[in-house]
Amino acid sequence: MELNISCVRSILLTVEKYETIYEPVSFDEEIHSYYKDYLDFCDIEQILYHVQYCIKAGLLADVSTTKAWGHISFNCCLEPFGHDFLANTRTEEKWKHTQSILNKVGDASLKVISSIAEGVTTALVDKYLPAEISKFNF
């Protein structure tokens, strides 16, 4: 299956929104109501494939995988790398700029996509920082 970075981002946004200190977020063959928030463009196979990718890539921790009778269930929490990725892609402005650059360079690894997103965030900080700093009275 081809990696869909928008699906990866949407999974991370879902976990961020619904994870609590007491409850991880479940992903399995059941279509959970919280899938509607960010994952309505993905089918269940895509979701499970990309959740597994996120775990292997260190974006998510799987606190208890269940594999029984041909069924799979992941119970996930965000890892620090997942938080970092979201910090650089959470807003639509940052994500739109990141996707624009990706469209120009073509396919890229998660590491490169993360670097692009970090670069976009840094560029936005550089854009707004001088005006904000000039408001301070030093």
Side-chain angles (χ1 to χ4, degrees), residues 8-9 12-13 16 54 57-61 77-90 110 114:
V8 168
R9 176 178 175 262
L12 297 178
L13 288 167
E16 181 183 58
C54 288
L59 297 164
L60 294 175
C77 299
L78 275 174
E79 287 284 353
F81 182 45
H83 282 287
D84 290 348
F85 185 82
L86 279 180
N88 291 321
T89 62
R90 183 180 293 106
L110 178 62
S114 295

Side-chain angles (χ1 to χ4, degrees), residues 32-79:
H32 297 279
S33 60
Y34 49 80
Y35 288 1
K36 291 183 290 186
D37 291 345
Y38 301 106
L39 291 163
D40 58 350
F41 66 96
C42 300
D43 64 35
I44 199 70
E45 281 188 26
Q46 287 176 307
I47 292 170
L48 294 177
Y49 175 85
H50 286 86
V51 166
Q52 189 171 25
Y53 174 82
C54 288
I55 293 165
K56 290 178 179 179
L59 297 164
L60 294 175
D62 182 18
V63 294
S64 66
T65 299
T66 306
K67 295 179 182 178
W69 303 82
H71 300 282
I72 193 160
S73 175
F74 300 104
N75 294 301
C76 299
C77 299
L78 275 174
E79 287 284 353

Side-chain angles (χ1 to χ4, degrees), residues 10-25:
S10 294
I11 287 166
L12 297 178
L13 288 167
T14 299
V15 174
E16 181 183 58
K17 182 173 182 177
Y18 290 100
E19 174 189 5
T20 70
I21 196 162
Y22 304 106
E23 290 292 323
V25 177

